[in-house]
Amino acid sequence: MKNVEFRTAASAQGGLVVMAGVPGVAAGSRVQLRDHAGRLRSGQVIRTADDAVLVEVFEGTDALDLERTWVRFLDEPFKLPLSRDILGRVFNGSGRPADGRPPIITADRRDINGEPLNPAARAYPREFIQTGMSAIDGMNSLTRGQKLPIFSGGGLPHNRVAAQIVRQAKLLGEEAADFVVVFAAFGASHADARFFQESFEESGVLNKVVMFLNLADEPVIERLLTPRAALTAAEYLAFDLDYHVLVVMTDMTAYAEALREVAVLRGDVPARKGYPGYLYSDLAEIYERAGRIKNRRGSITLIPVLSMPSDDITHPIPDLTGYITEGQIVLGRELANQGVYPPVTVLPSLSRLMKDGIGKNFTREDHPHVASQLFASYAKALEVRGLAAIIGAEELSDADRRALAFADAFERRFIGQGEDEDRSIHETLNLAWELLSMLPPETLIRVSEAELAKYHKGKA
Amino acid sequence: MGKILEINGPLVKLELPRTVLGEQVRVGRMGLVGEVIGRDGDTALAQLYEDTAGLRPGEMADGLGWPLSVELGPGLLGGIFDGVQRPLQAMRERSGDRIARGVAVPSLPRDTRWHFVPDPQRRAGAVLAGGDVLGTVQETESIRHRILTPPLLHGELLELAPEGDHTVEDVIGRVRLADGRIEKLYLFHRWPVRTPRPFRQRDHAVAPLITGQRILDTFYPLLKGGKAAIPGPFGAGKTMLQQQIARWCNAEIVIYVGCGERGNELTDVLESLPELKDPYTGRPLMERTLLVANTSNMPVVAREASIYVGITLAEYFRDQGYDVVMVADSTSRWAEALREVSGRLGQMPVEEGYPAYLGSRLAAFYERAGRVETLAGDHGSVTLIGAVSPPGGDFSEPVTSHTKEIIQTFWALSKELADARHYPAVDWLESFSGYVKSAAKWWTEHVDPNWESARADALDLLAASEELQRIVNLVGVEALSGEQRWTLEAAGLIKEGLLQQAATDEVDSYASPEKQFALLAALLEIHRQGLTLVKLGAPARKLIQMPLLAQARRWKSQHGSEDLSALKAKIAAIPQAFEPLLLEYASTATPRTMGGA
């Protein structure tokens, strides 16, 4: 069947083509269209019956002349050619070379949809990754194999934060040799793509990076393939070649919007804000490919970046993402406006896997309690700040004034740090104690009395 | 034998005459399994439990002749199954780390030999009725598996195997039915998951389910056989709370259904439960636990089925006379699976795309919980705890609001509390329990007769402090009277010293009912002592500075449930801490008191 061209396109509309009279086409099969100008477009079968086959065309259906369109059913799903040579390469959104270099020559081609990992085969992520950023390491620690998104908004420095994580991420006491990056951009601007490329270049990791780029002016439907192609490459690097892979994907909002566009064309029943009811399952198919597998050395750690429309964390995209990922790093406009970098709003931020990757044997024995105390003290101090805004700082008690001073110092010195500042976890924890020492020891009930005696610098 | 006509996502249109709604079908060369959900003349519509990519129109399809059923017998405990009861560990041995399609592995191991001890009452020639216990198999150290007669079987027992080792496929007995047919008995039987298992009658739920979590047991109790929901936005600690319940609750069997949730969470349960000890039997928790997993990246139709597989397994252990807890995480994903399929069927959506039958399906599912008198005359219960994941944390969305009408105990999780790292983030104002009266009887008999009034006092304090906090936020704490400031402080003490409970802290993770009540009574005693002083004219500022308050906040993590003597000594010493102040102010106040008398 794959060598036969059919010229039976019966209708076309907004990226979808209906083919008549092609019996026995496999669901999900890849399709190649040749238009009247001889240009090739690719597509995928999304519904199939003997009398009609519905094809989704990734490059769109613009300027398609039904009578002069030839269609071939390739009889296989979308596959990505894989070999060690993908390192250092740049591909387009559907996995074809985009750096002017030759295609990957290999017999190993894999279905980009992957297969679900058996939950019984997973290994639980427990190894602490040091990012060198206090707000993350100290309070929202990342572990190897975790999926931890960055929730951001337009104009916030999420790209700089992501790039800094890529530059600085390391496991305590281990060589960085088997560490590689898969970077996927969909709907990103050329400027953003260049920023990442230059940042990889500067830090000298370019030959350890695989890039998949579907930029803002490239076909929208192709974005449905990009994260899947990137993760297929990541799975190969992690579980065939034993690399520890850090996957950065930006921007998931552009992906979800592409999905909605296609869903509307297909006539799927919308759930919230026009997004299809299967947005959750679809996002999960992507995010859940991160992780570790028993008896395999490699791992996939996933950092998706998404911009929250109107900074709304309850919007379906961040909302559903938060239900699937193992926490979230939330960037805030308020901190950013005050010049704090990275503007991590720590209270809504969370790392679910932190509890199992820190403390004795991992970071330092006081880490869990210190993190918990920082959260509690900062939350309380913010309440005081709210109060001070109403009744004026003069009316505050002495204890409240100390809390205010703590909140300010915490934001400027603990959360805030330089873009090239790479703090060790010990530096982060010592800094935390220095700040906690601004508060009376009897108010610090999340840390143990022994820890207070050892680390608190105030008069006990 | 029929064939495929059309493939649309997980839905497949088949030419398959004489099929029955709900019947299992096997389609295509890969042998994918699904169930019939619609019929129109000779065509049938089926939903498949596996991904349909690669399936072609024209490939064969066949009805299997039975509805989606589970295998019930020894070999279930400690296992992890997918949404249609395929054993995931055995699947891994068969098809590797990833779940290949079309793999058929029997749910129960076929080669394990179980030591069967027949029930002495079962003699040849006696009448055997559905649900009767044929004998027992010691499946794990802590659980004796009762081998049940299939519920609908009734006849004369012709023979039953003597004590000995058998696989689940060995015939262990024969029964002559009323129509003369001979039916074979095995260590296991099958049951269709969408049909509730029969019992004699419903019983009153009497005992609370003790979870070791203070905010739940002390404030919003759930009964064995009850229905509860845990709604909460992401990051509010839903999963953590459910895992705590699965770990520490005093049920005999725990069934944990991961429905559309994270793979790593199940891994966490799988890796941590074998190491944790049951506080009641001292045995590894895994021995009483069974997992059903359809993670969010597994096929959506099997997600819809997983909830029914879980509840049927729960009913089966209930029928053996056990108290079973089923935790379903999350019922929202189940509802979304329902929505996805209904959307593909082109059914008219009502609220947020959900089909009109969402409410009735939810209600029918929760009704399978309860304490019952089993067919064999025993008592067993299924307690159902469903997590709800409301989009954006909005409790007015369809799944949360329907669920709220059905359940009796509502453990509402709050984003604000979680953001302030107040865990478990159960909101004491939004939550409710319809079981307080029944639970009070148990607490009175087993712990302390003052439980109900102490609980009410603490809740009053919390509610009052909420009001006061609003005032403080407007005009500052100086505007409050001494008594009000002390109320605020005491409520803070209850929040930090009682309601907050650290799941990761070895001592604090589980609190026995005795410890829960001791702490509650102690903190209320501190409030009472202070209140007396404030009324005598002592400034609240002085009371708030007492070292006792900081100390009392630490008691929960300093004293384990197994030995409360040290805690009780500290509690007994509470009046002493107030004595200096009492001496100071009581003396100055005495004349006034005297004058008033």
Side-chain angles (χ1 to χ4, degrees), chain B residues 236-303:
Chain B
K238 221 170 20 265
T239 301
M240 200 62 193
L241 185 59
Q242 290 183 90
Q243 290 189 0
Q244 283 295 92
I245 295 170
R247 276 173 195 164
W248 304 126
C249 75
N250 62 346
E252 290 151 305
I253 305 283
V254 175
I255 295 179
Y256 192 96
V257 182
C259 173
E261 290 294 311
R262 305 175 183 89
N264 276 334
E265 281 171 3
L266 288 154
T267 310
D268 189 17
V269 175
L270 273 179
E271 288 185 10
S272 67
L273 283 195
E275 286 166 23
L276 290 170
K277 294 259 184 306
D278 185 336
Y280 310 95
T281 62
R283 300 290 312 164
L285 281 174
M286 205 62 205
E287 288 188 359
R288 65 163 197 185
T289 312
L290 188 167
L291 303 176
V292 177
N294 175 282
T295 55
S296 56
N297 56 337
M298 288 159 79
V300 69
V301 177
R303 185 167 312 158

Side-chain angles (χ1 to χ4, degrees), chain A residues 261-395:
Chain A
E261 202 173 315
V262 176
V264 170
L265 288 172
R266 288 192 196 183
D268 293 335
V269 176
R272 282 173 73 215
K273 299 209 174 182
Y275 291 96
Y278 51 80
L279 178 61
Y280 178 83
S281 308
D282 192 278
L283 288 173
E285 272 175 26
I286 295 171
Y287 296 142
E288 280 287 324
R289 288 171 80 169
R292 296 178 54 221
I293 301 180
K294 279 178 195 155
N295 307 324
R296 307 260 186 126
R297 280 197 53 214
S299 64
I300 299 178
T301 308
L302 177 60
I303 303 187
V305 177
L306 66 87
S307 50
M308 298 182 281
S310 328
D311 291 354
D312 176 11
I313 199 168
T314 67
H315 183 282
I317 302 167
D319 189 50
L320 295 180
T321 297
Y323 276 119
I324 307 165
T325 54
E326 283 129 1
Q328 65 277 338
I329 302 293
V330 183
L331 302 188
R333 209 163 286 281
E334 208 175 312
L335 283 176
N337 290 344
Q338 288 164 19
V340 174
Y341 172 89
V344 176
T345 317
V346 292
L347 295 190
S349 298
L350 170 74
S351 166
R352 293 166 186 277
L353 304 186
M354 176 174 181
K355 60 179 171 37
D356 299 298
I358 62 166
K360 207 174 149 194
N361 303 332
F362 297 101
T363 53
R364 206 167 83 179
E365 84 286 353
D366 57 326
H367 191 170
H369 290 156
V370 170
S372 169
Q373 187 63 58
L374 284 173
F375 275 115
S377 296
Y378 182 56
K380 206 150 210 174
L382 286 188
E383 268 176 38
V384 174
R385 190 185 275 171
L387 187 61
I390 298 164
I391 62 167
E394 303 77 40
E395 301 288 316

Side-chain angles (χ1 to χ4, degrees), chain A residues 27 47-48 280 296 323 349 390, chain B residues 6-7 54 97 260 390 421 473:
Chain A
R47 192 168 172 162
T48 168
Y280 178 83
R296 307 260 186 126
Y323 276 119
S349 298
I390 298 164
Chain B
E6 185 182 336
I7 301 137
D97 293 335
R421 296 323 192 248
N473 288 345

Side-chain angles (χ1 to χ4, degrees), chain A residues 421-443:
Chain A
E421 193 180 346
D422 189 356
R423 290 182 192 157
S424 76
I425 182 63
H426 283 267
E427 286 169 330
T428 290
L429 291 173
N430 290 342
L431 179 58
W433 275 110
E434 195 183 321
L435 298 173
L436 286 175
S437 298
M438 297 169 72
L439 300 169
E442 63 273 13
T443 63

